[in-house]
Amino acid sequence: MRTNQPKTIHLSEYKVPAYLVDTVDLRFELFDEGARVHSTLSVRRNPESAEGSAPLALDGDSLKLERVAVNGDDLAVGDYEETGGQLIIAKVPAQFELAIVTWVEPQNNTRLEGLYKSSGMFCTQCEAEGFRCITYFPDRPDVMARYRTRIEADKSACPVLLSNGNDVEKGDLDNGRHFVTWEDPFPKPSYLFALVAGDLVEKQDTFKTCSGRDIDLRIYVEPRNATKCDHAMDSLKLAMRWDEDTYGREYDLDIFMIVAVDDFNMGAMENKGLNIFNSSCVLATQQTATDLAFQRIESIVAHEYFHNWSGNRVTCRDWFQLSLKEGFTVFRDSTFSADVGSPTVKRIENVTLLRTAQFAEDAGPMAHPVRPASYMEITNFYTLTIYEKGAEVVRMIHTLLGPDLFRKGSDLYFERHDGQAVTTDDFVKAMEDASGRDLTQFRLWYEQAGTPVLKVSDAYDAEQNIYRLTIQQSIPDTPGQTDKKPQHIPFALGLLGANGEALPLCFEPGQDARNAPTERVLELTEASHTFEFHGVAQAPVPSLLRHFSAPVRVAYPWTREQLVFLMSHDPDGFNRWDAGQRLAVDVIQSQVGSSDATDIEPRLVEAYRALLNDTGVDQALVAKMLQLPSEAYLIELADSPDVAAIHRTREQVLHHLATSLREELVACYHRNSGGGTYELTSESIARRSLKNNALAWLLMTNDETGRDLALAQLRDADNMTDRMGALRALVNSDYAAERSQALADFYDQFQDDPQVVEQWFSVQSSSDRAGQLPQIHALLTHPAFDWKNPNKIRSVVGVFAGQNLAAFHNPDGSGYAFLADQVYRLDDSNPQIAARLVSPLTRWKKFAPAYSSLMRTALERIRDKPGLSDDLYEVVYKSLEG
Ligand code: B3K
Ligand code: ZN
């Protein structure tokens, strides 16, 4: 068991760097047995630092130091100290040149941070603190320098040598080696440095910017993937145009590169001019990727591209400000996806993720504010709170200011801080200065953790025609934070009359209703508010928190009649969907523990029947509305959830719906199948989604027609969405022989495509039919499984623990023990992935004692592991002790 704690870093202890670096000159000699890194820095004391002549302290991790020299003079061993992850030089001049040579071993780097090898290719990942695994450096984002990088490698093994900026020189060297030199004219923090060297092919295109410059666009992939880059390239061009149109942001270098890498800890990385992507977030063809994957690629390509301004040109002062770039950039990419696709569907997807996973995080042991006040290991803070809640916070500023003032604010922000490393407060200040609005109270969204709860009640005064709405806000305690102050919450609402008409919202008695808006954004700033709406001639049905205008939980005593009414009448598509979800949640919750399926709410069945029959409404919305709330969401909503009972009940309701709606489902299936060539429009995506949903429901009831349709679809599909839809439906059915056959055939057909094999793993690991523990163990020993590849680990272990909830929460504790075993094993090779995977166990306190004690035991075993990493220590420690 580990006895020493990792150091906790506090925002309150932030100090400007004592030394600045103006230029970084790097020379990489890449060999099979390692890499020698020559780094020459021009360093000077920071005039703004109070540290005077403090020693120079540089960060380093797993480095072999070969040389250190100041102004050309080699330092002797006593002139410097290598200690606690730092290189310390006690005496340095006010300004000097520092030369450092280090030796690293990319081929043995399984953490995938710093310089490492993936499928024979050299690549880097430096955010957040990977650059220190390459050379000693002040590895913090507020040290911004201009980089020049020369890469030398064997010409046949690594014909392509890439780094940030523009290539300025290249040539041959002795012994079959060659070099390329890159120069990046924009000062940047070390976390944006990148290098790639390997045998890659490029897909090339150009983009003409709004000022008429031609940008060279290149996507680099392994030769076998050459035909799979079109969608990523199209997405890139779409994103570049959108950022010009929407934010007035033009690309700044002459070349923009994306490289696809198989072994990657996350989705992608926005290195300046050289984005590095997980292969699964770039490569796609109709035959290999589902609609969901296509959409994911589009949004991630856009996200990383958008970082060029929100993150790179204007970067973070320190890692507490991570949401400055991530929250804003997620807001930018979701607006982009909404604009190029279906806005309502995009909003539904965002909110589903937020309510299922971010709310859970906010209620758990790792809850932290959008701007955390402390951390032990920064990689643990790339969270849904920083990303998704951070994006909601920016969205609320957009709602409060309106689109024009928001744009004025973003212009001011980019102009004022170009080339700087700044804080979330600087962002809010720019919004304030541009709009004239006071966002003082709004800033609490950055400081206070936890999901606000809005308790809403109402009363209708028929005599005076007044409708009164009272909203009370409270924010639950979170680790280290109690007694929170009320926050500034934009609350969008409308009122509906008995025929579904939108009622005018008049705040004043006698106000002219004809000019009154039918939707308003109320601004909540106090613990309790009562709003009066005048001239309301009938008791209205309120449509609350439209578009999900704030990341909060709303408690209002909706009746089932009201929900059914809102499902078909609310003019806000998001709230129509939400009403359907609330109704389904209510029905499932009231059914938990009952074995009688005959008393399942008939209005739910009829509402779904109406949806299936109504071909006049947006079919993309219908496709979403027909998806029942997930088990994960139902668990999130419950206190001491009984996972097995929730699973059983949800299946029972699904079964009942599918049986009652059999005819409509078959008709829906046929209406939405066939019909020409594969397209990626929202309309065709909706059709495929409806069809595959209908199929899945039919197979729930062991329907033979459903089975035959699925088998035929699997055989005839011309795209992966349909093939995967059919496979998933069969895998989750009771047709055991068909399931095994379909899985075997599918693997035979696609075994050479790693991205498809990952989907094949996931479809099994997420299924309670095909993903029980013995089967999961078999997947781990499958020849296609690879413990060094994070995608494979996620698609089996991550999906099992995160999506196959009944199996994971097996009352015998076997699922917990299994996860603990895998996390334990991974901690030595890839602690970042281990710390992410352990997350489902960390919520042990939420569950009933029978579950929670077993979860706790599993966590304790991890805690007691000798040599536990800092990453895992923080998460496990906070979960057990917090
Ligand atoms: N900025 C990167 C994430 C880096 C994670 C480091 N552990 C990708 C992104 O959010 O765009
Ligand atoms: Zn990002």
Side-chain angles (χ1 to χ4, degrees):
M1 176 171 170
R2 181 176 167 154
T3 46
N4 65 323
Q5 273 210 8
K7 196 166 163 268
T8 298
I9 321 277
H10 297 274
L11 169 60
S12 58
E13 291 168 4
Y14 173 82
K15 284 200 203 107
V16 298
Y19 292 88
L20 299 176
V21 180
D22 293 314
T23 59
V24 179
D25 205 300
L26 296 168
R27 181 158 79 91
F28 286 84
E29 296 180 87
L30 303 179
F31 307 102
D32 286 343
E33 58 283 5
R36 180 162 291 112
V37 186
H38 307 255
S39 162
T40 309
L41 314 176
S42 58
V43 187
R44 64 186 159 94
R45 270 191 208 137
N46 182 359
E48 281 167 32
S49 165
E51 308 274 282
S53 51
L56 175 74
L58 303 174
D59 306 298
D61 187 349
S62 319
L63 297 172
K64 186 159 168 258
L65 183 65
E66 292 190 343
R67 178 182 178 229
V68 47
V70 172
N71 287 332
D73 295 330
D74 281 24
L75 298 192
V77 168
D79 298 337
Y80 62 87
E81 203 186 344
E82 272 185 291
T83 173
Q86 290 198 310
L87 171 67
I88 296 172
I89 309 177
K91 278 211 185 60
V92 287
Q95 182 154 11
F96 58 100
E97 187 190 271
L98 178 68
I100 293 172
V101 179
T102 49
W103 175 257
V104 294
E105 293 186 352
Q107 71 281 8
N108 298 326
N109 178 350
T110 55
R111 287 163 53 189
L112 315 185
E113 289 174 292
L115 179 63
Y116 66 95
K117 269 183 131 172
S118 170
S119 322
M121 169 197 329
F122 290 89
C123 58
T124 55
Q125 171 54 37
C126 292
E127 187 177 359
E129 295 178 338
F131 195 70
R132 66 185 63 184
C133 309
I134 296 174
T135 181
Y136 280 107
F137 196 77
D139 193 13
R140 43 187 288 168
D142 54 357
V143 173
M144 298 174 81
R146 272 189 298 279
Y147 285 65
R148 187 183 165 94
T149 305
R150 175 179 157 120
I151 311 166
E152 303 174 4
D154 183 83
K155 198 169 180 173
S156 60
C158 297
V160 173
L161 306 175
L162 309 173
S163 190
N164 319 83
N166 305 309
D167 48 338
V168 291
E169 205 189 344
K170 58 182 70 159
D172 287 334
L173 301 166
D174 293 343
N175 302 325
R177 292 172 68 79
H178 70 147
F179 77 95
V180 180
T181 303
W182 292 82
E183 211 170 67
D184 181 358
F186 294 95
K188 64 167 176 287
S190 49
Y191 82 85
L192 290 173
F193 170 80
L195 171 156
V196 170
D199 185 6
L200 301 166
V201 293
E202 82 180 48
K203 177 180 167 66
Q204 205 275 336
D205 208 328
T206 53
F207 178 84
K208 196 179 268 313
T209 69
C210 51
S211 74
R213 291 188 307 115
D214 282 316
I215 313 295
D216 185 2
L217 309 178
R218 301 186 203 160
I219 300 183
Y220 288 91
V221 295
E222 289 172 50
R224 65 192 163 93
N225 293 322
T227 56
K228 296 184 182 165
C229 311
D230 293 352
H231 179 65
M233 186 62 92
D234 291 344
S235 306
L236 175 61
K237 290 187 286 183
L238 211 55
M240 293 178 87
R241 188 62 72 216
W242 185 90
D243 212 20
E244 292 183 345
D245 294 346
T246 315
Y247 282 86
R249 298 292 116 201
E250 185 179 345
Y251 186 62
D252 48 9
L253 290 162
D254 298 331
I255 165 169
F256 185 84
M257 297 174 280
I258 288 177
V259 182
V261 171
D262 282 345
D263 303 308
F264 206 63
N265 277 347
M266 64 269 169
M269 177 63 211
E270 71 264 23
N271 317 298
K272 182 76 186 187
L274 178 56
N275 288 359
I276 298 182
F277 272 60
N278 188 319
S279 298
S280 70
C281 300
V282 184
L283 305 175
T285 66
Q286 171 183 337
Q287 293 303 337
T288 62
T290 60
D291 293 345
L292 207 67
F294 274 104
Q295 288 171 314
R296 199 166 118 82
I297 289 169
E298 182 179 81
S299 84
I300 296 182
V301 168
H303 178 100
E304 305 311 332
Y305 173 74
F306 296 155
H307 268 315
N308 190 55
W309 275 97
S310 47
N312 301 5
R313 287 288 284 260
V314 182
T315 195
C316 303
R317 186 192 74 173
D318 52 70
W319 293 120
F320 299 102
Q321 319 299 329
L322 183 55
S323 196
L324 172 80
K325 72 177 179 81
E326 296 306 346
F328 186 23
T329 306
V330 171
F331 172 69
R332 276 150 59 66
D333 85 58
S334 24
T335 323
F336 162 76
S337 301
D339 284 355
V340 301
S342 159
T344 307
V345 166
K346 182 65 196 174
R347 191 68 191 130
I348 290 169
E349 285 166 356
N350 278 163
V351 173
T352 303
L353 176 63
L354 194 78
R355 282 209 294 222
T356 308
Q358 195 279 324
F359 283 14
E361 185 170 280
D362 239 353
M366 280 290 287
H368 55 276
V370 170
R371 191 194 62 201
S374 67
Y375 60 77
M376 289 178 184
E377 174 52 63
I378 188 58
T379 47
N380 288 329
F381 283 77
Y382 285 76
T383 59
L384 290 152
T385 301
I386 300 295
Y387 278 69
E388 306 303 323
K389 186 173 180 181
E392 292 298 315
V393 170
V394 177
R395 178 184 296 275
M396 287 189 286
I397 298 180
H398 186 274
T399 303
L400 291 169
L401 267 54
D404 295 341
L405 289 177
F406 182 86
R407 169 65 195 269
K408 236 178 112 189
S410 71
D411 284 352
L412 178 61
Y413 167 72
F414 288 127
E415 186 196 322
R416 190 184 266 177
H417 298 298
D418 191 7
Q420 297 178 3
V422 303
T423 63
T424 53
D425 211 44
D426 293 317
F427 179 81
V428 178
K429 184 83 172 72
M431 290 291 164
E432 278 182 324
D433 290 351
S435 66
R437 290 219 45 173
D438 179 357
L439 297 173
T440 310
Q441 186 185 7
F442 186 85
R443 282 179 171 80
L444 289 172
W445 279 105
Y446 288 95
E447 292 163 30
Q448 297 189 149
T451 307
V453 178
L454 300 184
K455 194 161 171 275
V456 182
S457 57
D458 57 354
Y460 177 62
D461 180 340
E463 253 163 53
Q464 300 196 63
N465 285 358
I466 297 177
Y467 175 71
R468 290 192 182 82
L469 194 70
T470 298
I471 308 179
Q472 290 167 292
Q473 64 162 297
S474 60
I475 308 174
D477 291 350
T478 45
Q481 281 191 342
T482 52
D483 300 322
K484 297 179 197 184
K485 300 193 192 96
Q487 292 181 179
H488 184 174
I489 301 176
F491 187 93
L493 95 164
L495 299 178
L496 301 191
N499 300 318
E501 70 279 23
L503 302 178
L505 305 178
C506 303
F507 281 150
E508 306 296 333
Q511 194 180 328
D512 183 357
R514 284 167 309 182
N515 297 326
T518 55
E519 179 173 308
R520 281 187 186 271
V521 178
L522 309 177
E523 294 194 23
L524 314 178
T525 51
E526 311 282 332
S528 176
H529 287 268
T530 297
F531 298 91
E532 286 192 354
F533 299 93
H534 293 264
V536 183
Q538 51 179 309
V541 177
S543 163
L544 304 172
L545 199 75
R546 281 197 171 157
H547 338 291
F548 207 70
S549 61
V552 299
R553 297 178 198 262
V554 174
Y556 173 80
W558 279 283
T559 63
R560 289 188 179 175
E561 280 86 350
Q562 285 177 323
L563 292 173
V564 171
F565 175 81
L566 289 169
M567 266 177 93
S568 54
H569 289 99
D570 200 315
D572 178 34
F574 174 81
N575 265 11
R576 290 181 72 169
W577 169 81
D578 195 33
Q581 293 291 296
R582 286 179 194 276
L583 179 64
V585 166
D586 188 36
V587 170
I588 296 172
Q589 281 176 343
S590 64
Q591 197 69 25
V592 172
S594 150
S595 53
D596 181 7
T598 57
D599 64 354
I600 291 174
E601 174 62 78
R603 280 172 295 195
L604 184 70
V605 182
E606 291 321 308
Y608 277 47
R609 193 187 310 280
L611 278 171
L612 280 165
N613 286 334
D614 190 348
T615 50
V617 287
D618 178 3
Q619 295 294 291
L621 179 58
V622 173
K624 284 284 164 202
M625 290 187 79
L626 284 171
Q627 281 160 20
L628 281 192
S630 67
E631 277 175 24
Y633 185 50
L634 293 161
I635 289 172
E636 203 286 314
L637 289 175
D639 292 325
S640 298
D642 177 344
V643 182
I646 289 178
H647 173 74
R648 233 182 2 258
T649 312
R650 186 178 177 278
E651 297 250 300
Q652 197 183 68
V653 170
L654 212 48
H655 194 275
H656 177 70
L657 286 167
T659 315
S660 320
L661 300 169
R662 185 184 178 279
E663 264 169 51
E664 285 81 0
L665 290 168
V666 174
C668 171
Y669 181 87
H670 288 301
R671 200 167 56 240
N672 289 294
S673 49
T677 51
Y678 178 86
E679 280 178 66
L680 259 181
T681 56
S682 342
E683 202 201 324
S684 334
I685 293 172
R687 282 165 60 95
R688 284 188 287 276
S689 164
L690 274 174
K691 171 176 70 178
N692 287 314
N693 200 45
L695 197 58
W697 283 25
L698 284 170
L699 273 163
M700 290 282 312
T701 63
N702 300 332
D703 186 281
E704 284 186 11
T705 312
R707 177 200 59 193
D708 295 344
L709 288 172
L711 290 171
Q713 181 171 316
L714 201 52
R715 192 184 59 229
D716 302 334
D718 69 350
N719 66 81
M720 185 50 81
T721 307
D722 285 344
R723 199 171 277 119
M724 197 40 88
L727 181 67
R728 186 176 297 278
L730 280 170
V731 165
N732 289 310
S733 77
D734 289 330
Y735 292 109
E738 285 85 347
R739 174 195 314 144
S740 312
Q741 190 62 46
L743 283 168
D745 292 349
F746 187 97
Y747 183 76
D748 276 351
Q749 194 176 350
F750 290 104
Q751 56 182 306
D752 295 328
D753 189 311
Q755 284 75 47
V756 183
V757 171
E758 283 152 24
Q759 299 175 59
W760 181 79
F761 278 136
S762 300
V763 83
Q764 299 172 75
S765 327
S766 62
S767 160
D768 71 330
R769 309 285 204 286
Q772 293 298 324
L773 264 192
Q775 295 151 313
I776 298 292
H777 278 294
L779 293 181
L780 292 183
T781 53
H782 190 279
F785 189 83
D786 175 1
W787 279 105
K788 288 197 291 306
N789 180 258
N791 289 4
K792 300 290 183 303
I793 298 166
R794 279 185 284 254
S795 62
V796 178
V797 184
V799 168
F800 170 76
Q803 293 175 37
N804 194 352
L805 298 173
F808 174 62
H809 290 279
N810 190 320
D812 67 5
S814 56
Y816 308 147
F818 167 80
L819 183 60
D821 287 345
Q822 313 319 318
V823 166
Y824 200 101
R825 151 181 204 153
L826 275 164
D827 190 45
D828 292 326
S829 55
N830 191 331
Q832 209 183 110
I833 296 292
R836 284 205 164 243
L837 281 181
V838 80
S839 164
L841 284 174
T842 63
R843 306 252 13 238
W844 61 278
K845 279 188 190 149
K846 181 180 173 66
F847 292 85
Y851 294 102
S852 68
S853 63
L854 291 165
M855 291 171 95
R856 196 188 155 97
T857 306
L859 275 174
E860 284 168 347
R861 192 151 61 80
I862 298 172
R863 180 197 61 195
D864 297 343
K865 170 180 177 285
L868 189 69
S869 68
D870 288 0
D871 307 59
L872 204 45
Y873 182 95
E874 176 171 33
V875 179
V876 171
Y877 173 84
K878 287 183 174 170
S879 164
L880 287 172
E881 316 294 330

